Amino acid sequence: MSSIELKPTDKRLKGEISVPGDKSISHRSVIFSALAQGTSVITNFLTGEDCLRTVEAFRLMGVNIEQEGNKITVHGKGISHLREPSQPINFGNSGTTARLMSGVLAGLPLFTTAFGDESLSKRPMDRVIQPLRVMGAEIRGREDDSLLPLAFRGKNLEGTRHELTVKSAQVKSALLLAGMLAEGETEVIELGETRNHTEMLLPEFGVDVEVEGRSIKIKGGQKPFASDIKVPGDISSAAFFLVAASIVPDSELIIRDVGLNPTRDGIVRALKEMGANIEVHVHTHIGSEPVGDIVVRHSRLKGMTLEGDLIPNVIDEIPILALAATQAEGKTIIKDAEELRYKETDRIEAVVETLTTLGADVQAKEDGMVIQGGSPLKGGSVDSFGDHRIGMMGAIASLICEGEVIVKNKDCINISYPSFFTDLNQVLN
């Protein structure tokens, strides 16, 4: 098990930084390009382990995909040229790969098996499998077809109207991809707003998607064509630096070329509500996705209540927001976030254990946590639990701890941010 020892520091964060490409958009760009006819070039692709699982899945299905640094070239031949894999597909730790690929595999005339690592094998898949079955999918798996490994016997699917029972962009995206392969029209009614990269990005590949309120419709039989995509910086990765600069005295940092999708910018809204000194400057668009620079300076934070419709927008950033809350004045309440229990680990328990070990006053609730602010963090040995976002939270916490912080099992950070420690050291002065 790898670990890193982080000594106390009086350094501040200064300068400029660019974070790796957006994880959600990187996954989707590869999927759409591999289904398309023609050659697509994806630049600033996130070369973390999760996204490379999606690349490898399509290589096993006969798609020629070249990688040169963070540039990916996908030589798509269209949906009809995908072939049956000769071996099981390894989804690794990637929930996005597992759920989105389920929508694809269910609608192809192929037999496919897929598995994941120990963590992914515990994460619920029935939320995707059950609505896909309504469309005619034949999928089998462990524990009443709810867990990986899974076997897909691809079928001709029928377009269906789905009313989602969970707030999940992954489930929505899986159903839209299945709908693109199905006969007739598929409509997905969201329970609440979730990240909308799928419906924003598909039109770049020539696929029509109709969005009206919480209803998203897609007609089956559409054939995507190749498109070049430049992936913006991942705001979920930027979140660690936004919080770091907010809580480390005398810090001032510029984060360049970050994706500012309105369904993903909840971290900025939440930190501003806590009193953070943040400026956002949109300077371009990639497709329909706004992209810009974020300027953040150290400030005194105050507690807040994080709940309701904002939760799906910040679900991946809650661990680092919890760290910010330990340094805020007053109490922070996070609720309506039970989905955290079904991530790479039970993130509610992982956040509470990590921050408590470091000296914070945090209590777990069934759907969130309560954090008493103003806690001086002392340091200690913490485990990432194999969760990249918990590992990075522990590393950022070390910047304000009185003693040494040891982060165990740090290699999981490579899932989303392989250059995290290099980038962090670059801006510490």
Side-chain angles (χ1 to χ4, degrees), residues 197-267:
H197 299 301
T198 295
E199 45 272 51
M200 292 186 80
L201 199 57
L202 274 174
E204 296 298 305
F205 291 83
V207 177
D208 292 329
V209 182
E210 181 183 332
V211 180
E212 186 175 344
R214 291 182 177 175
S215 166
I216 307 103
K217 296 178 182 178
I218 187 167
K219 286 185 169 60
Q222 297 187 69
K223 297 180 179 179
F225 54 73
S227 178
D228 294 341
I229 299 293
K230 181 180 179 182
V231 181
D234 196 323
I235 196 165
S236 294
S237 295
F240 295 94
F241 292 94
L242 292 175
V243 169
S246 294
I247 63 178
V248 175
D250 200 29
S251 293
E252 182 174 348
L253 191 63
I254 302 173
I255 309 174
R256 298 287 189 193
D257 300 324
V258 180
L260 296 167
N261 183 301
T263 65
R264 292 285 302 283
D265 66 354
I267 178 66

Side-chain angles (χ1 to χ4, degrees), residues 372-413:
Q372 299 292 339
S375 303
L377 301 187
K378 304 184 183 305
S381 179
V382 298
D383 196 327
S384 72
F385 301 97
D387 187 327
H388 51 128
R389 303 200 192 280
I390 302 299
M392 286 186 279
M393 180 191 72
I396 296 298
S398 75
L399 302 177
I400 56 170
C401 283
E402 297 171 1
E404 179 184 74
V405 173
I406 299 172
V407 179
K408 294 185 289 185
N409 197 11
K410 71 173 178 62
D411 287 352
C412 63
I413 291 171

Side-chain angles (χ1 to χ4, degrees), residues 68-106:
E68 183 181 346
N70 64 2
K71 183 175 96 169
I72 300 287
T73 304
V74 183
H75 300 281
K77 293 184 178 181
I79 295 166
S80 62
H81 283 77
L82 294 172
R83 69 167 184 246
E84 195 165 275
S86 61
Q87 65 190 68
I89 298 173
N90 185 359
F91 292 153
N93 187 250
S94 179
T96 304
T97 306
R99 295 193 175 117
L100 269 63
M101 287 300 296
S102 293
V104 174
L105 298 174

